[in-house]
Amino acid sequence: TVISIFNDKGNQVFLKYFNNLSPLSQIVKIVKELEPLADQIDVIACELNSIGTPYTDLIKEKSQILEDKVEGFQTSNTSKNAIVLNMQTAIENKNVTLLPDDKEIREFGYFTATYNPKTRNVSYAAPQGLNDDTVMATLIAYDAYRNGTQIGTYNIGFSKR
C-alpha cells in the first residue's frame, strides 16, 4: 500500500508505503495519515483493481471526514498508458517534482514498457517478481493533480496490489 501526495504546484510532498499490516490495519493507517490533512485534501484517488476496490470502500466507511473526497481510478491499459505519458511529459518539461525516495526511484527505474507487435499496444508494468506500487500511486496522484482536481492543496494517489 502506498500513499503519494502532490500539492497544488505539482510537487510530490508526501510518500509513505507499508505492506506488513493486515488489510484492516492498512485502512486504519491510511485514515490516520490522511484525516489530519482533510481540510487540505481535494481528492483521494484510489486505484480500483481487485484489491483496491474494497480498500476504497473501507476508507469511505471508516472515515466520514474523507468519504466525500474518495474517487476511484480504473486501471486499464489505456488509462495506465495515459498517466505514464503525462508523467513523462511533466518530467521532461520540469512541471513536476518528485521526492528523492530510494524506493520510488528504484521502482521508476525498472518500470517497463512492453510493445506487443500483434496488437500494436504498449503496456507498462514492473518486471515479473517486482513491485510498481509506488510508481502507480505516484502516477495516479499526479493524474488527480493534472486533471484539475487540485482545488485545495493535496491530491493523493493510493495503490494497493
Side-chain angles (χ1 to χ4, degrees):
T1 301
V2 180
I3 301 171
S4 179
I5 302 176
F6 280 83
N7 68 12
D8 62 346
K9 295 175 179 34
N11 300 318
Q12 186 181 40
V13 294
F14 183 88
L15 182 66
K16 188 168 260 190
Y17 31 85
F18 39 93
N19 291 327
N20 297 327
L21 300 172
S22 70
L24 186 55
S25 294
Q26 288 183 26
I27 295 302
V28 169
K29 184 151 181 78
I30 290 166
V31 168
K32 185 177 178 180
E33 293 284 345
L34 299 182
E35 277 188 339
L37 303 172
D39 62 336
Q40 301 171 55
I41 295 172
D42 180 48
V43 65
I44 300 169
C46 302
E47 184 175 20
L48 299 178
N49 57 19
S50 60
I51 298 172
T53 300
Y55 275 58
T56 302
D57 294 340
L58 284 169
I59 292 169
K60 290 179 182 180
E61 181 182 306
K62 296 289 181 192
S63 177
Q64 291 179 340
I65 296 170
L66 300 174
E67 70 179 327
D68 291 337
K69 299 174 183 284
V70 176
E71 296 179 1
F73 179 87
Q74 189 64 50
T75 307
S76 67
N77 194 50
T78 301
S79 66
K80 190 185 267 191
N81 287 348
I83 63 175
V84 168
L85 293 174
N86 289 334
M87 179 62 82
Q88 286 175 332
T89 301
I91 290 169
E92 288 170 9
N93 293 327
K94 296 180 172 58
N95 292 333
V96 63
T97 303
L98 300 178
L99 292 170
D101 181 87
D102 289 341
K103 179 180 171 93
E104 182 173 55
I105 291 166
R106 190 171 51 253
E107 284 190 18
F108 266 106
Y110 59 65
F111 195 67
T112 306
T114 304
Y115 177 71
N116 182 328
K118 290 182 182 178
T119 63
R120 296 182 182 192
N121 286 329
V122 176
S123 61
Y124 294 91
Q128 184 84 21
L130 298 174
N131 292 316
D132 63 5
D133 293 356
T134 306
V135 171
M136 288 306 300
T138 299
L139 293 173
I140 291 167
Y142 184 74
D143 184 66
Y145 159 75
R146 187 183 163 281
N147 284 324
T149 55
Q150 70 284 0
I151 296 166
T153 55
Y154 293 124
N155 299 284
I156 296 166
F158 164 71
S159 178
K160 171 66 181 139
R161 297 239 167 148

